[in-house]
Amino acid sequence: GSKLSEIEKYVDQNVDDTTSSDLRGIAKDKNIIYISAESVQNFVINRKVNGEEITPFLNDLIKDSYYFNNFYHQVNLGRTSDSEFLVENSLYPLPNGSVFFTHGQNEYNGVPEIVNEHGYYSSVFHANNKSFWNRDVAYESLGYDQFYSQRYFNVNEENTIGWGLSDKAFFDQSMKYLKSMPQPFYTKFITLTNHHPYELDEKYASIDQFDSNSKTLNQYFPTVRYTDEAIEQFFNNLKESGLYEDSIIIIYGDHFGISENHNKAMGQYLNKEITPYDTVQLQRVPLIIHIPGHEDDRVIEKVTGQIDLKPTVLNMMGIKNEEDIMFGNDLFADKPKRFVAFRDGDFVTEDYVYTKNTCYDRESGEEVDGSFCEPTKDQVLKELNYSDQLIYEDLFRFQNTDSNSADKENKE
Ligand code: GP9
């Protein structure tokens, strides 16, 4: 009741819901294909290792796409599942543990459910056991029509790398399902090969490892390249199948791959000492929005985060969802965001980076007086707290207007 109204009022007054971007409605009746790229950080984009490009395909794709180079992951302990939660709900993940596990059965206004009401078929492809991260349960609440989990794939010794089915085999085997899927569809492919500890048999590696004291960082580069090649192959398959022209493809990194434990080796690779400021900047992951037919190179430097994908995609689809509570903004809106908040209360604005109780100038990385970050600090904590209340108290039960949730409310 009153708590929900307080949060709705906060969102109305503070979260800009501008929908007037040039891209509004561009995805109407098109398929949306997300690729959640496991552990791919932004620092690999347009960089080399041992003189070789790490992600040649993505680097090329960026030239024909919208590329957000200050896009941050915002996950916490729920890692990939937290990124999914952010992307489908525009809410923050929880402070302790994966929200898919702790509150996977809540009522949500997930994008899969919303687009379903507008005639889209919604699905996820991920070749892991369906109950990993409690996905089978949480996906029900988000409203997916179909989850192509491990049992939909032929996984054998030959096509297994690291955690499971190799990304190349995964995309290949997915095509038969995708080709017969009712259109328009809203779907997400979650890759797996580039997963810690990044073990890749030499016969699959197109580039050499890095040479440092961190085996993790050394091995990271060839597995990232493997995923880059798998995505390229998927684009080729989409083109061959004829689905490409009718689809919009959105690729994002789900979360960091190299933790702070490897700062020394990372410093060696980037040729600088890694400060707390740099650690925040290393939380940037690539975001590439590829719209066939819109093939000019646009780098968007605005500070953005995973929480912004839901309002962006709904606006691109031309879907108005006025009653919803979202903390993100349309990525294509002109206005800067107030902040990109991380789960621990750290944040980034256009001007500042706040971490470890220190305020830094975002452009220079120089420490500045704490008073510059102070006002935003309080807003961030307030907003995280509101998001948590929505989840802890399952407040969307009372917000939804569909008959199902009205029933639930009556039974309380
Ligand atoms: C597991 C995959 C990886 O199914 O999504 O999860 P992560 O360990 O990155 O959260």
Side-chain angles (χ1 to χ4, degrees), residues 263-333:
N263 271 358
K264 199 170 160 231
M266 188 62 103
Q268 185 186 328
Y269 174 69
L270 296 174
N271 213 355
K272 65 189 318 212
E273 194 195 327
I274 307 295
T275 66
Y277 163 85
D278 294 308
T279 297
V280 172
Q281 294 300 64
L282 283 166
Q283 306 315 306
R284 286 177 293 191
V285 291
L287 170 64
I288 301 167
I289 301 185
H290 183 73
I291 308 176
H294 254 229
E295 273 137 10
D296 41 341
D297 160 358
R298 271 177 261 199
V299 179
I300 301 182
E301 301 202 329
K302 194 172 145 174
V303 168
T304 51
Q306 288 171 332
I307 206 153
D308 300 320
L309 280 165
K310 174 181 174 183
T312 305
V313 165
L314 290 178
N315 286 344
M316 286 171 75
M317 289 170 145
I319 297 176
K320 279 207 179 70
N321 204 36
E322 273 151 9
E323 299 304 302
D324 206 355
I325 301 177
M326 301 190 276
F327 292 101
N329 315 99
D330 189 325
L331 289 159
F332 293 108

Side-chain angles (χ1 to χ4, degrees), residues 36 38-39 75-84 126-129 131-133 135 139 147 163 190-192 194-196 254-256:
S36 165
E38 174 64 39
S39 301
V75 314
N76 197 25
L77 301 170
R79 301 285 169 91
T80 306
S81 66
D82 279 356
S83 71
E84 295 188 67
H126 182 53
N128 200 353
N129 190 297
S131 59
F132 198 94
W133 284 131
R135 282 185 172 107
Y139 284 176
F147 176 20
W163 272 45
I190 305 173
T191 70
L192 193 57
N194 186 47
H195 196 288
H196 187 269
D254 61 353
H255 51 69
F256 69 89

Side-chain angles (χ1 to χ4, degrees), residues 103-123:
H103 297 78
Q105 297 191 56
N106 274 16
E107 183 73 32
Y108 294 107
N109 296 328
V111 178
E113 181 180 319
I114 297 168
V115 300
N116 205 270
E117 285 160 15
H118 289 80
Y120 278 78
Y121 184 83
S122 57
S123 64

Side-chain angles (χ1 to χ4, degrees), residues 25-43:
I26 194 155
K28 206 169 181 311
D29 301 322
K30 294 241 173 178
N31 306 310
I32 297 284
I33 303 175
Y34 267 121
I35 300 174
S36 165
E38 174 64 39
S39 301
V40 176
Q41 291 183 215
N42 194 59
F43 78 87

